[in-house]
Amino acid sequence: MSHAEPAPLSIVEVQRAVAAELDRLAPVIDELGRRFADAGHELALVGGPVRDAMLGRAHHDLDFTTSARPSQTERLLAGWADAVWDVGREFGTIGCRRGEWQVEITTYRAEAYDPASRKPEVSYGDDLGGDLGRRDFTVNAMAVRLPGREIEDPYGGVVDLAHRVIRTPGTPEDSFSDDPLRMMRAARFAAQLGFEVDEAVVEAMTAMAERIDIISAERVRDELVKLVCAPWPRRGLTLLVRTGLAERVLPELPALALERDEHHRHKDVYEHTLTVLEQAIDLEHRLGGEPDFVSRFAALMHDVGKPRTRRFLDDGTVTFHHHDVVGAKITRKRMKALRFSNDQIDAVCTLVELHLRFHGYGSGEWTDSAVRRYVRDAGDQLERLHILTRADCTTRNRRKAERLRRTYDDLEERIERLAEQEELDSLRPDLDGNQIMTILGIGPGREVGEAYRHLLELRMDHGPLGEERATEELHAWWAARG
C-alpha cells in the first residue's frame, strides 16, 4: 500500500459523497426516521457513519442518536428489526440487526468522568446540539436529522474534513478531562484518516498525558490495536511519542530513540522500527491483504531489546547481543500489562525472538536440518516470520538489499522443496506416543516424552526415517539408557 498522505477534499466533493451514501442507506434511515417521527421522537444518523459518508466510505454499521429513552427505542424497533439486543442499555444504547445492517441507537447523552474514575457517568441529554457538543472531535460531531436528511454541523466538522484536521468541539482540555482516552483517539484518527491534529489538541495531549493512567488497560489496548491496524500508523505513533502518551502506554517505543554515537555507526532504531512497520504492511498481501495486528505489532516491537543490550566496544562499534531474546521478554511483559490474549502474546513474542534467526543463513550454508528447525520453531507463525524478516531490511545500499532479498528467496524455496518432500507443516516423529509405549513395553510417563523428543530430533537431522528405521533407533536409544 501507499504511505502517502490522502488527497484533500473540496466542500463540493464532500456534499456529493454524503448525498450518494445517504441514498444507499435509504432503506434503513428513511424507514427508521419516519418510525421515530411518527412516535414524536427525534432521530439522527451521527458520528462515524456521517464522517465516512462525507469521505465516500460505505458503512453497514450505523449509529443513531435519539430523544427517545431506551425502553421507547426498544418498542419502536419491535416488528422492524430482525433481532434486538440491549447489552448497552446502561449507556442508553439499544442495538439491532435489519438484514445486512447493524444498528445502534443511543439516547441523547451528557457524560463526564470523575477525575479518579475509569468509567463514565452517564446522564441523558435533552437535544441533538448538546449531544454533539459532548463528542470527541468535530469530524465526529456531525449528524443527519431524519427523515428530512438535514445536516447538523455546529462545530465546523465539514470544513475540518476538507482541511484534514482533527479538532475538538470545545476546548481540548475540557474534552480530555471528560474522557482521557480521547487523547489516544486523536492519535488513532490521525492514523486512520491521515489527518493532521490541531496544535491546540497536541498541546493539551502533552500537558494532560498523565490523565491516561486512569483509563483501564483494556480500553487503552483496544485503541492501540485500532491505531496499529490503521492505514497510516506512523502518524498516530509519532504523535503518541511526541506528546508523551507513549511513555505511559507503550514506553518501549520512545525508548528506541537512542542517542546516536558521534560517528553515526548505528541506525536510528526508532525511525528504523517505523520503517520496518511500514514495510511489513506492504507485505500483508501474503496474509490475504487485510490489516494484520500480530505482524504489525511484532514489527513495532522487534527491536525493543536494543536499549537494554546496547554496548559500545573499544573500537567505537556498537553491539546489541541477544536483543532478540531480551526483546521477546519485554514484549511479553508489556502485552500482559495491556491484557492481550495469550495467543496474541505467544504469536508476537515468537516473531520477536526469531527475527534474527535468518541472519545465520549466510549465503545458504544452512543444512536441511537447520531449515527444518527454522520451520519447527516458527510453527504457525512462519508466514509472518517471512514478512518480518524481509521488512527488517531497511538498508539504503541497493546491492546489499538485493543480496538479502535473493538469499531469503532461496531460503523460502528450500522450505517449499522440503515441505513437498517431507510434509514439513506437520513435523512429527515417525512414531507416535502409543507406538513408542508398545515397542518399549512401557506405560505413560516421562520416558515416553523423552523418547518422542529423541525421535523428533532425528527427524530434524535426517528427515523422515520410516517406521522400521525409527523403531531401530528407538531400541538403540533405549538400550543406551541402560
Side-chain angles (χ1 to χ4, degrees):
M1 66 170 286
S2 170
H3 303 288
E5 294 183 358
L9 299 168
S10 70
I11 300 297
V12 173
E13 287 175 317
V14 169
Q15 292 170 334
R16 286 176 183 161
V18 74
E21 178 64 359
L22 292 179
D23 285 342
R24 189 183 73 86
L25 301 179
V28 175
I29 62 175
D30 291 352
E31 287 185 32
L32 269 182
R34 283 192 295 270
R35 207 172 178 90
F36 275 72
D38 290 346
H41 300 297
E42 297 178 358
L43 184 74
L45 184 69
V46 72
V50 177
R51 178 198 69 225
D52 285 350
M54 293 180 178
L55 292 170
R57 300 175 179 179
H59 257 273
H60 280 86
D61 294 346
L62 304 179
D63 294 325
F64 297 85
T65 188
T66 181
S67 59
R69 295 299 190 253
S71 58
Q72 296 170 319
T73 295
E74 210 167 15
R75 286 196 294 271
L76 287 168
L77 291 176
W80 179 83
D82 300 328
V84 179
W85 51 89
D86 66 351
V87 292
R89 180 184 291 274
E90 179 186 357
F91 300 102
T93 300
I94 302 296
C96 73
R97 176 177 53 81
R98 164 82 175 221
E100 61 182 340
W101 308 95
Q102 297 275 5
V103 171
E104 286 194 347
I105 303 177
T106 302
T107 302
Y108 293 152
R109 293 194 303 194
E111 81 178 21
Y113 272 72
D114 182 286
S117 173
R118 293 183 175 207
K119 293 185 178 181
E121 297 174 355
V122 177
S123 60
Y124 296 136
D126 299 319
D127 57 60
L128 178 60
D131 184 89
L132 296 179
R134 52 152 287 277
R135 292 180 179 265
D136 51 7
F137 305 109
T138 60
V139 295
N140 295 328
M142 299 178 289
V144 179
R145 288 187 180 272
L146 301 171
R149 298 192 184 184
E150 302 94 352
I151 293 177
E152 293 284 334
D153 179 23
Y155 301 102
V158 172
V159 173
D160 286 344
L161 265 185
H163 292 166
R164 300 173 47 250
V165 175
I166 300 292
R167 288 191 307 110
T168 53
T171 69
E173 290 80 6
D174 287 345
S175 181
F176 298 156
S177 290
D178 282 349
D179 184 355
L181 191 67
R182 289 174 174 174
M183 296 186 286
M184 286 198 67
R185 286 169 63 84
R188 190 245 291 183
F189 281 120
Q192 285 183 330
L193 304 175
F195 284 15
E196 296 291 339
V197 177
D198 182 73
E199 193 57 36
V201 174
V202 174
E203 290 174 2
M205 291 169 67
T206 305
M208 302 175 67
E210 75 281 353
R211 286 277 292 147
I212 199 68
D213 294 347
I214 74 165
I215 302 298
S216 70
E218 291 83 357
R219 294 184 73 208
V220 170
R221 174 202 64 207
D222 292 346
E223 282 300 322
L224 190 60
V225 170
K226 291 173 184 175
L227 189 162
V228 170
C229 290
W232 296 279
R234 179 190 281 259
R235 279 180 170 269
L237 293 167
T238 54
L239 182 60
L240 291 182
V241 171
R242 175 186 170 191
T243 57
L245 277 163
E247 191 66 48
R248 312 193 81 88
V249 300
L250 193 66
E252 295 79 12
L253 183 60
L256 293 174
L258 303 171
E259 292 182 13
R260 297 176 62 171
D261 60 291
E262 58 183 292
H263 302 293
H264 295 259
R265 286 199 176 104
H266 72 274
K267 297 175 185 176
D268 181 328
V269 184
Y270 171 68
E271 287 297 328
H272 162 77
T273 294
L274 295 178
T275 300
V276 172
L277 170 60
E278 290 181 333
Q279 293 185 167
I281 292 171
D282 291 338
L283 292 169
E284 281 181 337
H285 60 86
R286 299 178 58 139
L287 299 170
E290 294 298 315
D292 183 67
F293 174 76
V294 169
S295 62
R296 292 189 183 198
F297 201 63
L300 193 62
M301 302 295 282
H302 79 284
D303 273 349
V304 296
K306 279 190 169 180
R308 194 172 294 179
T309 59
R310 183 173 61 158
R311 300 290 182 270
F312 292 97
L313 303 184
D314 291 340
D315 63 0
T317 57
V318 184
T319 66
F320 303 98
H321 292 314
H322 307 301
H323 78 266
D324 45 349
V325 177
V326 172
K329 292 178 180 177
I330 292 172
T331 299
R332 184 172 296 277
K333 184 176 180 181
R334 176 55 50 202
M335 293 185 75
K336 281 186 175 181
L338 289 170
R339 306 289 195 272
F340 280 97
S341 70
N342 289 334
D343 286 346
Q344 285 179 307
I345 293 172
D346 289 343
V348 172
C349 292
T350 294
L351 295 169
V352 172
E353 187 165 354
L354 294 179
H355 82 274
L356 288 182
R357 181 75 66 87
F358 161 70
H359 295 285
Y361 189 69
S363 302
E365 291 87 355
W366 275 5
T367 61
D368 285 351
S369 171
V371 175
R372 293 186 194 102
R373 292 175 194 280
Y374 188 77
V375 173
R376 190 269 309 270
D377 291 347
D380 59 2
Q381 300 306 314
L382 182 61
E383 192 60 49
R384 288 186 173 119
L385 183 57
H386 292 333
I387 289 173
L388 177 57
T389 304
R390 290 180 180 276
D392 196 22
C393 175
T394 60
T395 179
R396 295 178 183 176
N397 184 323
R398 289 187 180 181
R399 185 176 298 178
K400 181 180 179 182
E402 180 61 23
R403 176 175 57 77
L404 286 169
R405 185 191 65 78
R406 285 197 309 268
T407 305
Y408 206 85
D409 286 345
D410 177 69
L411 175 57
E412 286 202 55
E413 289 168 8
R414 286 186 64 188
I415 290 172
E416 279 189 36
R417 286 198 303 272
L418 283 172
E420 290 174 5
Q421 297 164 10
E422 305 179 7
E423 299 182 4
L424 270 192
D425 289 341
S426 54
L427 267 176
R428 290 186 291 269
D430 299 83
L431 302 173
D432 63 24
N434 288 327
Q435 290 172 303
I436 290 170
M437 288 189 288
T438 299
I439 291 167
L440 297 181
I442 60 175
R446 179 171 51 84
E447 292 90 350
V448 179
E450 292 177 3
Y452 188 92
R453 287 189 289 275
H454 173 70
L455 291 175
L456 181 58
E457 288 300 313
L458 291 176
R459 171 78 165 80
M460 290 289 172
D461 290 337
H462 305 292
L465 303 176
E467 189 172 328
E468 183 178 345
R469 183 182 165 192
T471 301
E472 293 173 0
E473 294 286 354
L474 179 60
H475 279 305
W477 172 80
W478 187 248
R481 287 170 56 95

